[in-house]
Amino acid sequence: MKITDGPDFASSSLPRHLFRGAVGLGALIGAFALLPFYGPATLLLAPLGLVALRGCPMCWAIGLAQTLSRGRLQRECTDGRCELKAAPR
């Protein structure tokens, strides 16, 4: 029996996920790095970064792990004991 409970932060492809990470982290870094040059208006980049990262950098990192393992691993639970196994090909 395959159980897939909990949030899913994975993207449909690895390039798409990496692009989201570049946009998100770039926007967050830019929001604060450009603050001395362009003023508080640059803080408007922070929400864009958080949306691209789906809430937080840790959520993006979890999604990266899920995207990488999608189709390669599956969690199986029997008799209250769960383990990760290689997905059948």
Side-chain angles (χ1 to χ4, degrees), residues 69-82:
S69 71
R70 178 152 289 161
R72 295 186 185 128
L73 297 175
Q74 71 181 30
R75 189 170 95 178
E76 293 183 6
C77 297
T78 53
D79 299 326
R81 185 168 172 240
C82 298

Side-chain angles (χ1 to χ4, degrees), residues 1 8 18-19 22 29 31 41 44-45 49 52 59 62 68 73 76:
M1 177 169 97
D8 185 18
L18 293 174
F19 177 75
I29 291 169
L44 294 173
L45 290 172
C59 299
I62 292 169
L68 290 172
L73 297 175
E76 293 183 6

Side-chain angles (χ1 to χ4, degrees), residues 3 6 10 13 20 23-24 32 34 37 44 48-49 54 58-59 61 63 66 74-77 80 82 85-86:
I3 298 177
S13 69
R20 277 189 29 248
V23 169
F32 296 101
L34 297 174
F37 304 107
L44 294 173
L48 172 70
R54 293 188 184 166
M58 183 56 77
C59 299
Q66 288 178 341
Q74 71 181 30
R75 189 170 95 178
E76 293 183 6
C77 297
C82 298
K85 293 185 176 184

